[in-house]
């Protein structure tokens, strides 16, 4: 579990870098659309700049989402091994299934252009996992704050 947790943590800077670079490219595209002609760029030059910006945008977007989906796969495996009894155990199994399914669908959708529609399902599964994960964290915190009965 320690190695998996460490691998999950490694996805955080990858997500951050991908997101920052993605936003820079989006800003560049909006700037080109708004100011390209005003800056005296020829239509051919503007088209080349836009094509490069879109290519970079695709790379950085896939980098960010790939890291996010990898983190979900790791979270799914970690939740599958989490302890608990009764409802808590089933909550964690549900979390494992949601995160793992969302991460797997997401990774698959990034590998095949024809499967991009799966991104919607992947993000919905991840969102449900995040919400249930929050509930699990609140429950765990509440259980820790209760005094032990002797």
């Amino acid at each position: 579990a320690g190695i998996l947790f460490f691998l999950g943590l490694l996805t955080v800077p990858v997500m951050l870098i991908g997101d920052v670079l993605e936003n820079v490219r989006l800003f560049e595209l909006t700037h080109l659309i708004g100011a390209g002609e005003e800056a005296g760029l020829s239509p051919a030059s503007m088209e080349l700049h836009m094509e490069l910006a879109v290519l970079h945008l695709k790379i950085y977007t896939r980098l960010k989402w790939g890291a996010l989906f990898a983190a979900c796969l790791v979270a799914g495996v970690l939740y599958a091994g989490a302890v608990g009894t009764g409802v808590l155990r089933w909550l964690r199994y549900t979390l494992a299934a949601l995160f793992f399914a969302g991460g797997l669908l997401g990774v698959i959708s990034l590998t095949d252009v024809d499967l991009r529609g799966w991104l919607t399902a992947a993000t919905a599964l991840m969102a449900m996992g995040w919400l249930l994960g929050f509930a699990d964290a609140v429950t765990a915190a509440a259980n820790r704050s209760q005094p032990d009965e002797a």
Side-chain angles (χ1 to χ4, degrees), residues 25-115:
R25 291 301 172 228
L26 285 169
F27 178 73
E28 182 182 340
L29 277 170
T30 57
H31 179 73
L32 281 172
I33 291 168
E37 291 179 8
E38 293 174 11
L41 292 175
S42 69
S45 178
M46 202 163 129
E47 183 177 338
L48 178 62
H49 279 85
M50 291 197 63
E51 284 179 14
L52 285 172
V54 168
L55 175 65
H56 289 145
L57 181 62
K58 288 178 181 179
I59 291 168
Y60 301 142
T61 300
R62 285 182 180 93
L63 178 69
K64 175 185 78 175
W65 280 99
L68 188 60
F69 295 138
C72 285
L73 289 170
V74 169
V77 172
L78 290 173
Y79 267 114
V83 295
T85 59
V87 173
L88 187 57
R89 179 178 59 198
W90 290 108
L91 171 65
R92 291 185 175 157
Y93 287 157
T94 302
L95 279 164
L98 288 170
F99 279 124
F100 195 80
L104 187 60
L105 281 177
V107 168
I108 291 169
S109 71
L110 289 179
T111 62
D112 189 341
V113 175
D114 294 332
L115 300 176

